[in-house]
Amino acid sequence: LPLNVLLEKMVCRVIPDAKTPEKPKELDDRLLNNPAIALSQYKNLLDRMAVKSVTALKDAMECVTRYDSAKAEKIRKAESETDHIEDLLGTYLVKLTSRYIGEDESLKATEYMKLIGDYERIADHAVNILQSAEHLDREQIVFSPKAGDEYKIIRAAVSEILDLSYLAFSKNDYTAARKTEPLEQVIDALKKEYRTRHILRLQRRSCSVTAGFIWSDLLTDLGRVADHCSNISGCVLDTIEENMNTHENQNAFRTFDETFKKEYVRFKEKYTLSEV
């Protein structure tokens, strides 16, 4: 009886408390000997990272027009989690590619290696956009009505390109992948046109300088997000077509493909610029 307390401590050290089970590994090294299965679990975690990045970006765009402190905390947490997942994925891919893998697995590994960076950067841009939203909220800055209308248009276009590129990656959707590039070109045109319009508003003094700086930052971040979405769909197309020259393929697609021209016109009409 006098040893009961001592025995209890010893048993607790030897047998862990059942209420705190060991956290399962996100990527299992035991699967490295089977590259196909290893890549399957790898894609599951990459998909999780992609969802966090896309959701954070959409939440950040919403905070610009309606700031929400709870959503802001969620965005920062998602960005931190994507950084953690990026480290896990990068380390695991190095282990996998150091072994012998087949040609199909090698193509997929190359695609995933590129996608890690794009989704991590999308999460970074979500935080950048959130910081702009916080500046607007903190200083009680309001965009001019024209800038507000323009933001609605480019926000809708960026939301769609996020969905298209994610669909291309998650479902290996060829059609969605081919729609991404023409939409990216439309977003790029919107960004350039909105910068010009902003300069005109400054000259007319219908927009404050401070609001103008924030608007310029937003356009930069949204444009870069569209670029990353283009990269994502480009990687998917490269893997499907077994040709890893992403930028050359995109240039050829923009120049010669009739589908690109039709989709570009469709998106341009859908996201029509408001009157100056």
Side-chain angles (χ1 to χ4, degrees), residues 144-163:
S144 67
K146 290 295 184 183
D149 291 341
E150 291 164 4
Y151 178 71
K152 289 178 184 177
I153 293 173
I154 198 167
R155 173 187 169 184
V158 170
S159 290
E160 182 167 3
I161 201 171
L162 283 165
D163 291 339

Side-chain angles (χ1 to χ4, degrees), residues 97-117:
T97 54
S98 65
R99 302 170 182 235
Y100 175 77
I101 58 176
E103 187 175 345
D104 289 343
E105 287 82 11
S106 180
L107 278 172
K108 273 295 175 188
T110 302
E111 174 191 341
Y112 294 160
M113 189 180 297
K114 294 179 180 179
L115 296 184
I116 296 170

Side-chain angles (χ1 to χ4, degrees), residues 3 11 21 96 100 102 138 222 262:
L3 297 175
V11 170
L96 180 61
Y100 175 77
R138 184 173 59 252
L222 293 173
K262 290 178 182 178

Side-chain angles (χ1 to χ4, degrees), residues 77-210:
K77 182 179 178 182
E79 191 274 335
S80 178
E81 289 173 347
T82 58
D83 284 345
H84 170 66
I85 295 174
E86 181 193 25
D87 290 340
L88 290 175
L89 292 172
T91 301
Y92 196 78
L93 203 57
V94 170
K95 292 178 183 178
L96 180 61
T97 54
S98 65
R99 302 170 182 235
Y100 175 77
I101 58 176
E103 187 175 345
D104 289 343
E105 287 82 11
S106 180
L107 278 172
K108 273 295 175 188
T110 302
E111 174 191 341
Y112 294 160
M113 189 180 297
K114 294 179 180 179
L115 296 184
I116 296 170
D118 284 306
Y119 277 118
E120 190 276 332
R121 289 298 295 138
I122 287 174
D124 287 344
H125 286 299
V127 173
N128 291 348
I129 292 169
L130 173 63
Q131 289 172 343
S132 293
E134 289 173 332
H135 193 176
L136 289 170
D137 180 68
R138 184 173 59 252
E139 303 298 330
Q140 293 297 293
I141 298 168
V142 179
F143 286 139
S144 67
K146 290 295 184 183
D149 291 341
E150 291 164 4
Y151 178 71
K152 289 178 184 177
I153 293 173
I154 198 167
R155 173 187 169 184
V158 170
S159 290
E160 182 167 3
I161 201 171
L162 283 165
D163 291 339
L164 283 173
S165 57
Y166 175 69
L167 181 61
F169 154 64
S170 62
K171 303 297 183 184
N172 214 36
D173 192 307
Y174 186 76
T175 302
R178 285 172 64 83
K179 288 180 179 179
T180 306
E181 184 62 19
L183 181 51
E184 188 277 331
Q185 292 293 298
V186 168
I187 291 171
D188 190 55
L190 285 172
K191 183 184 70 173
K192 291 175 182 176
E193 178 65 20
Y194 289 172
R195 287 192 188 282
T196 301
R197 291 178 176 215
H198 165 61
I199 293 170
L200 291 174
R201 285 194 292 269
L202 283 175
Q203 291 173 345
R204 296 168 184 167
R205 296 188 178 182
S206 60
C207 176
S208 71
V209 174
T210 304

Side-chain angles (χ1 to χ4, degrees), residues 237-254:
L237 290 174
D238 287 347
T239 304
I240 293 173
E241 297 169 356
E242 298 185 358
N243 183 344
M244 303 311 290
N245 296 316
T246 302
H247 294 295
E248 289 182 15
N249 293 339
Q250 288 173 333
N251 289 334
F253 182 44
R254 288 194 295 264

Side-chain angles (χ1 to χ4, degrees), residues 225-243:
V225 167
D227 290 340
H228 288 297
C229 291
S230 174
N231 292 342
I232 291 164
S233 287
C235 286
V236 173
L237 290 174
D238 287 347
T239 304
I240 293 173
E241 297 169 356
E242 298 185 358
N243 183 344

